[in-house]
């Protein structure tokens, strides 16, 4: 529910940016000026001229492209008090040009891993995708073997099973009607604790993070795969042309979160986690399997019946989410337990 914030500081590492988890550093990028850094400076400086100067700049590499997009998605989706005066540049022609160019390259990259022809019904295909990688190795290790410090390190990287899912659902329901819109409303109300402020999922996450003293990792210190995993929500939420793909990606999150949360709970029980750590993962372990089934039955199935051309695109979005997940969990596995992947 909470993405790892790019506005929360941790102790910087010397000489180069690294992610340090359980004492094992991961070299990421050399400390050079990137398009993302120049864009942030231009946004903070409040200069349209500086933004125009960047309109035709290319990112240095894939990581810089994703960080650049993350800066842009903040303008669209982060709390106003976090974005500050830079929010007025949300629709800047220069920012739009950078966004479109970076997203075109990313979409090409995502699409290369997705087959052109998809067999089976969208509902059955999504269930198969979810079952294929529902329980990554790192979660099973977490439940059975990880030390308490390693559990906390992993959860700091993971950022919650469904980062900012409430906002993503709110965006995804725009323009829909009938069963799909109603199901998303039910889903959103669950995210809001069914009207109980103390049960709102973001509140439960905050309490969990405080209880286990979970560090907040600065966005610049995250592995590239973690940036991509969070940025995918921004890509889908800020492009209405990707509405079907958004439905597929969110559906996959719901289909997979419950079993993973149950393994986190096993890790908590094995290591004697504080009581306040449990509710966030317990509620997801209980309701997400139902949410996943209902998303397939009440969102995907009726929408595909109404718009058959959306079927392959919904599946494509699920595959995109699966793709960024696989990259992230491979890195998380290596970072938290030093596995060779």
């Amino acid at each position: 529910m909470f993405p790892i914030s790019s506005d929360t500081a941790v102790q910087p590492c010397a000489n180069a940016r690294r992610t340090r988890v359980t004492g094992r550093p991961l070299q990421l990028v050399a400390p050079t000026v990137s398009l993302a850094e120049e864009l942030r400076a231009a946004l903070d400086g409040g200069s349209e001229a500086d933004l125009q100067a960047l309109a035709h700049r290319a990112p240095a590499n894939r990581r810089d492209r994703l960080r650049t997009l993350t800066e842009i998605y903040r303008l669209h989706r982060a709390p106003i008090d976090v974005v500050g005066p830079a929010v007025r540049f949300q629709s800047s022609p220069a920012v739009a040009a950078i966004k479109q160019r970076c997203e075109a390259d990313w979409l090409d990259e995502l699409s290369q891993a997705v087959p052109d022809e998809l067999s089976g019904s969208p509902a059955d295909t999504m269930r198969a995708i979810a079952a294929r990688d529902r329980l990554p190795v790192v979660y099973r290790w977490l439940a059975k073997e990880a030390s308490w410090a390693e559990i906390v390190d992993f959860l700091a990287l993971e950022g919650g099973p469904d980062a900012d899912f409430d906002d993503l659902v709110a965006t995804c329901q725009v323009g829909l009607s009938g069963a799909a819109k109603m199901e998303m409303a039910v889903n959103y109300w669950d995210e809001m604790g069914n009207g109980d402020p103390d049960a709102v999922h973001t509140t439960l996450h905050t309490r969990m993070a405080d209880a286990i003293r979970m560090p907040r990792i600065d966005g610049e210190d995250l592995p590239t795969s973690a940036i991509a995993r969070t940025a995918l929500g921004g890509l889908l939420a800020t492009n209405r042309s990707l509405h079907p793909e958004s439905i597929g990606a969110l559906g996959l999150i719901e289909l997979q979160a419950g079993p993973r949360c149950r393994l986190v709970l096993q890790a908590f029980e094995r290591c004697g986690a504080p009581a306040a750590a449990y509710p966030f993962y317990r509620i997801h372990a209980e309701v997400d399997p139902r949410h996943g089934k209902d998303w397939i039955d009440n969102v995907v199935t009726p929408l595909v019946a109404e718009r058959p051309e959306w079927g392959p695109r919904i599946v494509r979005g699920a595959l995109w989410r699966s793709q960024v997940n696989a990259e992230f969990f491979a890195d998380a596995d290596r970072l938290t337990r030093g596995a060779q992947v």
Side-chain angles (χ1 to χ4, degrees), residues 44-56:
D44 288 345
S47 168
E48 181 66 39
D50 288 343
L51 290 172
Q52 286 293 340
L54 300 176
H56 300 290

Side-chain angles (χ1 to χ4, degrees), residues 203-227:
T203 300
L204 297 180
H205 185 280
T206 298
R207 291 174 182 162
M208 181 275 295
D210 290 344
I212 69 174
R213 298 181 180 180
M214 189 177 81
R216 300 290 186 180
I217 305 176
D218 189 275
E220 295 181 0
D221 293 319
L222 287 169
T224 301
S225 58
I227 299 172

Side-chain angles (χ1 to χ4, degrees), residues 21-84:
V21 184
T22 60
R24 288 185 288 272
L26 173 68
Q27 187 75 38
L28 294 177
V29 293
T32 57
V33 176
S34 66
L35 175 58
E37 291 168 342
E38 291 194 89
L39 177 61
R40 168 63 76 91
L43 291 169
D44 288 345
S47 168
E48 181 66 39
D50 288 343
L51 290 172
Q52 286 293 340
L54 300 176
H56 300 290
R57 274 278 312 277
N61 48 39
R62 177 173 179 259
R63 178 179 177 83
D64 189 23
R65 183 215 306 154
L66 289 166
R67 286 187 57 213
T68 297
L69 286 172
T70 298
E71 292 295 333
I72 294 171
Y73 296 149
R74 288 173 73 250
L75 300 176
H76 292 261
R77 305 182 62 240
I80 291 293
D81 57 345
V82 172
V83 181

Side-chain angles (χ1 to χ4, degrees), residues 161-162 252-262 284-285 288-289:
D162 53 0
L252 191 71
I253 292 172
E254 293 288 36
L255 287 165
Q256 294 183 324
R260 293 172 181 176
C261 290
R262 285 196 289 273
H284 286 87
D288 281 352

Side-chain angles (χ1 to χ4, degrees), residues 25 30 56 63 106 109 113 120 135 164 176 230 233 235 242 271-272 284 301 317 320:
H56 300 290
R63 178 179 177 83
W106 192 15
E109 179 183 287
L135 297 177
D164 64 2
L176 297 180
T230 299
L235 172 71
L242 299 176
C271 292
H284 286 87
T301 299
W320 289 352

